[in-house]
């Protein structure tokens, strides 16, 4: 068992930079990322809730795995993966309640709290700028009384503030941003090597700046404060990427937050 590296205040703020990874993205006989290998290197697991990936058995197993390694658990939803799916506000609201509620049942069984909620893939991207989608999702997230992980200076943050939801700023180093600081997601991003991820993570934690897809320096809104760093578990190089990010995060936490547990 490994202790978590990042700890959240009741208000939802972080004391140190943490790493979160999407987990439980298998389905039946189809295997997703190497969750058991990654768990010792992460602080928070975003567990798929059966929409874009995961199923009841996988969700339950992944919750047990997180408990074994002392990793915080968040709901990684909502499912329609990395493609756009038109939904009404009512559908979006109900889908959020349905999927997060399913994970919450398994957490209750395991005696673990729900730590946070993080929308998945294209929903996460759409929530940066689509007011209707954002508002429906935030109204549902509000029901669970936990923080939401999201992108600073976007509707993620202002939507959370509007609904009184604690907001945890998030940044990405294994996918890219545009020169305007908009997260691109997996489609369109260039492949990042573990060495690049190490360097970018250290610069991001120190200065709040990282290279955009065209290598232009861009401010992503996390300067001067702890934040959560997301990496993907379904990349072929995920083990090496995460090991590089873990090393960088531990070094900057010792440098910037030396007396913070």
């Amino acid at each position: 068992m490994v202790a978590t590296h990042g700890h959240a205040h009741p208000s939802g703020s972080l004391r140190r930079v943490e790493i979160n990874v999407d987990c439980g993205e298998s389905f039946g006989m189809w295997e997703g990322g190497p969750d058991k290998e990654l768990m010792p290197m992460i602080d928070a697991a975003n567990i798929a809730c059966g929409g874009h990936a995961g199923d009841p058995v996988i969700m339950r197993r992944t919750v047990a795995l997180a408990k074994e390694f002392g990793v915080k658990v968040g709901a990684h939803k909502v499912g329609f993966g990395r493609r756009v799916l038109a939904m009404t506000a009512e559908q979006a609201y109900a889908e959020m309640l349905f999927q997060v509620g399913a994970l919450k049942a398994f957490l209750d069984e395991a005696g673990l709290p729900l730590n946070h909620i993080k929308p998945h893939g294209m929903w996460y991207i759409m929530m940066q700028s689509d007011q209707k989608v954002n508002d429906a999702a935030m109204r549902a997230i509000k029901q669970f009384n936990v923080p939401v992980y999201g992108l600073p200076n976007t509707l993620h943050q202002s939507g959370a503030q509007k609904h009184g939801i604690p907001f945890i700023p998030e940044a990405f180093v294994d996918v890219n941003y545009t020169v305007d600081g908009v997260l691109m997601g997996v489609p369109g991003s260039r492949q990042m090597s573990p060495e690049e991820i190490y360097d970018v993570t250290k610069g991001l934690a120190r200065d709040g700046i990282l290279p955009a897809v065209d290598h232009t320096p861009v401010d992503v809104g996390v300067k001067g404060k702890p934040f959560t760093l997301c990496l993907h578990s379904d990349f072929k190089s995920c083990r090496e990427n995460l090991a590089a990010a873990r090393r960088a995060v531990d070094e900057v936490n010792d440098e910037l937050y030396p007396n913070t547990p």
Side-chain angles (χ1 to χ4, degrees), residues 6-99:
H7 302 273
H9 288 296
S11 65
S13 61
L14 295 174
R15 297 171 184 241
R16 293 159 68 91
V17 178
E18 69 163 29
I19 294 177
N20 76 80
V21 166
D22 305 338
C23 298
E25 294 189 315
S26 300
F27 187 84
M29 298 298 292
W30 182 82
E31 294 188 7
D35 292 348
K36 191 167 186 176
E37 295 178 53
L38 304 183
M39 284 283 180
M41 294 187 281
I42 70 177
D43 304 299
N46 314 307
I47 296 182
C49 297
H52 74 283
D55 61 33
V57 172
I58 297 298
M59 289 167 67
R60 189 168 184 263
R61 288 177 182 173
T62 310
V63 166
L65 196 61
K67 184 175 183 177
E68 176 185 348
F69 285 94
V71 171
K72 299 177 292 187
V73 174
H76 193 32
K77 77 131 325 297
V78 155
F80 47 84
R82 292 168 181 162
R83 66 193 191 282
V84 175
L85 179 65
M87 301 180 76
T88 66
E90 181 182 24
Q91 287 173 320
Y93 179 84
E95 195 70 32
M96 180 73 77
L97 287 180
F98 173 65
Q99 290 192 35

Side-chain angles (χ1 to χ4, degrees), residues 180-228:
D180 298 317
V182 177
L183 182 67
M184 297 176 63
V186 176
S189 290
R190 55 187 168 82
Q191 185 173 352
M192 300 288 287
S193 70
E195 293 75 22
E196 286 180 288
I197 286 173
Y198 172 82
D199 291 338
V200 170
T201 299
K202 293 201 77 168
L204 180 64
R206 288 171 173 163
D207 306 316
I209 293 172
L210 50 66
V213 67
D214 68 350
H215 299 279
T216 301
V218 60
D219 186 337
V220 295
V222 297
K223 183 177 181 179
K225 56 192 172 189
F227 59 93
T228 188

Side-chain angles (χ1 to χ4, degrees), residues 98-217:
F98 173 65
Q99 290 192 35
V100 179
L103 178 64
K104 184 70 166 56
F106 293 119
L107 289 171
D108 289 347
E109 180 201 28
L112 295 178
L114 178 65
N115 183 71
H116 65 278
I117 294 172
K118 176 183 171 180
H120 175 266
M122 192 54 65
W123 192 315
Y124 187 93
I125 299 293
M126 290 168 64
M127 282 178 64
Q128 292 182 89
S129 55
D130 189 316
Q131 184 69 62
K132 183 180 75 171
V133 170
N134 183 282
D135 190 66
M138 291 299 180
R139 287 191 294 108
I141 290 169
K142 174 74 172 176
Q143 305 305 313
F144 293 96
N145 297 310
V146 296
V148 61
Y149 284 10
L151 299 171
N153 306 322
T154 70
L155 283 178
H156 290 176
Q157 184 169 10
S158 60
Q161 292 171 340
K162 174 183 175 182
H163 291 279
I165 301 168
F167 178 78
I168 301 292
E170 182 172 42
F172 293 75
V173 291
D174 60 356
V175 292
N176 299 141
Y177 294 75
T178 69
V179 294
D180 298 317
V182 177
L183 182 67
M184 297 176 63
V186 176
S189 290
R190 55 187 168 82
Q191 185 173 352
M192 300 288 287
S193 70
E195 293 75 22
E196 286 180 288
I197 286 173
Y198 172 82
D199 291 338
V200 170
T201 299
K202 293 201 77 168
L204 180 64
R206 288 171 173 163
D207 306 316
I209 293 172
L210 50 66
V213 67
D214 68 350
H215 299 279
T216 301

